[in-house]
Amino acid sequence: MILVTGGAGFIGANFVLDWLERHDEPVLNVDKLTYAGNQENLAALQGDARHHFVQADIGDSATMERLLAEHKPRAVLNFAAESHVDRSIHGPEDFIQTNVVGTFRLLEAVRAYWSGLPAQDKAAFRFLHVSTDEVYGSLSPSDPAFTETNNYEPNSPYSASKAASDHLVRAWHHTYGLPVLTTNCSNNYGPLHFPEKLIPLVIVNALAGKPLPVYGDGMQVRDWLYVRDHCSAIRRVLEAGKLGETYNVGGWNEKANIDIVKTVCGLLDSLRPRSDGKSYAEQISYVTDRPGHDRRYAIDARKLERELGWKPAETFETGIRKTVQWYLDHPQWVANVQSGAYRDWVQKQYTAAAK
């Protein structure tokens, strides 16, 4: 059995679904079910004996210790995190509690469990920590892409909290010998993505006839990684990664935000045209840039390809078409996640910032 934390969120749920499509090895799925953790993401697994879900906080040491002792996983994969930069600017404390304190308490629970394993199980055990490229800071247009040896220079409360968690994981390996692996990924997109993030927000707002908010000049550049490609990379690192190592996971798709928005609009124009015949691009609305907005991220994923033979299967063109089609095919999922709290958040974040 493997234990997955944060397995009802966007990336975690995709990983669990992907894992159980390919393996019969059971998954113990632990998620706190904050606003972005959604059991509906796991609806396809209802009644599947291989999937055991527990609502719990990784910061609850007693519960995590009990779950580890009862289920005896051979690996722990830590997806659990507060992950939205804008929310971290408005309320950083949640990010410190989950991403720093929660990771610390999880590491301690795992260390106690791992220390008591028989020698053979102890040698085979893995703790895989899922992190972000944002820990490396921001790049200028001419800078080379981030490699695993780049200095950490986080610029937001979110990225600082993730950087801290990465350092804790590294320290628990070097100090205690805990068998850890770390992955730092670029911007994910795909099915089940909570619609506060750029791509699902554009899709949802476009279909609702609402403005499509674009920060500043829209020329912030990100590398885009289809979520199922990310899942395959994590499986590969878990299987063959070298202990204590970090692996950058990227999609080799650097795109400016405004180009992402226009691409989504173009796909919607084709797949679900507006009733008035106009382009969804007419709904684009530029809003005041957020504080400390990093200009460019880019991932150099050659280490992962060179050492473990992984590279993404999707191009941006194939991945974004699959993503838009998924949202068109799942209107009820979208309606169900758009609670009153979500609507209040979008109004607070974008309406007040509109020029």
Side-chain angles (χ1 to χ4, degrees):
M1 168 177 278
I2 62 170
L3 190 160
V4 172
T5 71
F10 166 47
I11 302 174
N14 272 285
F15 180 84
V16 170
L17 292 166
D18 205 47
W19 180 270
L20 292 174
E21 282 177 13
R22 299 165 187 273
H23 299 269
D24 282 330
E25 185 176 11
V27 175
L28 172 61
N29 186 348
V30 178
D31 197 293
K32 188 179 178 181
L33 294 181
T34 56
Y35 73 94
N38 181 5
Q39 281 191 284
E40 193 173 346
N41 293 346
L42 305 162
L45 300 176
Q46 191 168 1
D48 191 327
R50 299 171 302 163
H51 180 244
H52 182 61
F53 182 83
V54 176
Q55 183 175 354
D57 184 345
I58 60 169
D60 181 347
S61 300
T63 297
M64 296 311 301
E65 289 166 6
R66 176 178 59 79
L67 291 172
L68 288 162
E70 286 178 5
H71 295 275
K72 296 180 168 52
R74 69 171 180 91
V76 173
L77 293 90
N78 183 32
F79 293 86
E82 294 284 347
S83 67
H84 191 40
V85 174
D86 293 338
R87 287 181 185 266
S88 81
I89 292 169
H90 288 289
E93 186 167 351
D94 286 345
F95 289 72
I96 302 304
Q97 283 300 321
T98 297
N99 299 354
V100 184
V101 178
T103 299
F104 158 70
R105 290 181 178 161
L106 178 62
L107 282 166
E108 281 291 83
V110 169
R111 180 166 73 94
Y113 163 71
W114 167 76
S115 296
L117 289 174
Q120 187 174 350
D121 293 343
K122 191 174 181 181
F125 183 81
R126 298 291 183 268
F127 180 94
L128 194 154
H129 178 64
V130 180
S131 191
T132 173
D133 59 358
E134 297 191 38
V135 298
Y136 298 122
S138 185
L139 295 170
S140 74
S142 60
D143 286 336
F146 298 129
T147 69
E148 291 82 358
T149 59
N150 271 71
N151 291 332
Y152 273 34
E153 297 178 349
N155 292 318
S156 71
Y158 161 60
S159 57
S161 68
K162 286 299 289 183
S165 71
D166 292 7
H167 289 317
L168 290 173
V169 170
R170 175 186 169 88
W172 260 240
H173 173 66
H174 284 275
T175 301
Y176 303 113
L178 191 69
V180 308
L181 300 155
T182 298
T183 56
N184 293 84
C185 69
S186 58
N187 277 36
N188 280 222
Y189 68 99
L192 305 174
H193 206 176
F194 193 76
E196 64 186 357
K197 303 292 180 79
L198 178 64
I199 288 173
L201 179 70
V202 169
I203 297 168
V204 169
N205 276 17
L207 295 173
K210 296 177 180 178
L212 311 181
V214 175
Y215 282 131
D217 60 5
M219 294 306 293
Q220 304 86 1
V221 172
R222 302 291 183 263
D223 173 51
W224 292 90
L225 174 66
Y226 189 65
V227 66
R228 288 298 179 100
D229 279 334
H230 187 195
C231 294
S232 73
I234 291 169
R235 287 198 312 273
R236 183 62 184 145
V237 172
L238 179 65
E239 176 184 52
K242 183 179 176 183
L243 293 185
E245 290 290 309
T246 293
Y247 296 92
N248 283 351
V249 188
W252 301 106
N253 290 305
E254 283 192 61
K255 306 281 184 185
N257 285 350
I258 188 61
D259 294 331
I260 296 291
V261 174
K262 289 178 178 178
T263 297
V264 171
C265 288
L267 284 167
L268 288 171
D269 289 341
S270 171
L271 297 169
R272 186 69 59 81
R274 274 178 36 163
S275 58
D276 61 6
K278 295 180 180 179
S279 173
Y280 288 99
E282 294 202 358
Q283 294 167 226
I284 293 172
S285 172
Y286 291 90
V287 301
T288 304
D289 210 351
R290 71 182 179 211
H293 200 170
D294 289 337
R295 197 63 175 168
R296 173 177 169 246
Y297 306 141
I299 279 283
D300 183 335
R302 284 180 294 180
K303 175 180 175 179
L304 186 52
E305 182 174 355
R306 181 177 66 249
E307 296 187 8
L308 302 183
W310 178 89
K311 54 185 177 182
E314 301 287 347
T315 64
F316 185 74
E317 289 69 31
T318 61
I320 194 64
R321 177 172 285 272
K322 287 180 179 181
T323 301
V324 171
Q325 189 64 59
W326 187 89
Y327 280 88
L328 292 175
D329 292 343
H330 293 84
Q332 193 58 51
W333 182 92
V334 174
N336 290 349
V337 300
Q338 290 182 287
S339 66
Y342 167 76
R343 290 192 296 273
D344 292 346
W345 161 255
V346 171
Q347 182 171 8
K348 174 184 178 182
Q349 182 60 28
Y350 297 111
T351 305
K355 291 181 178 177

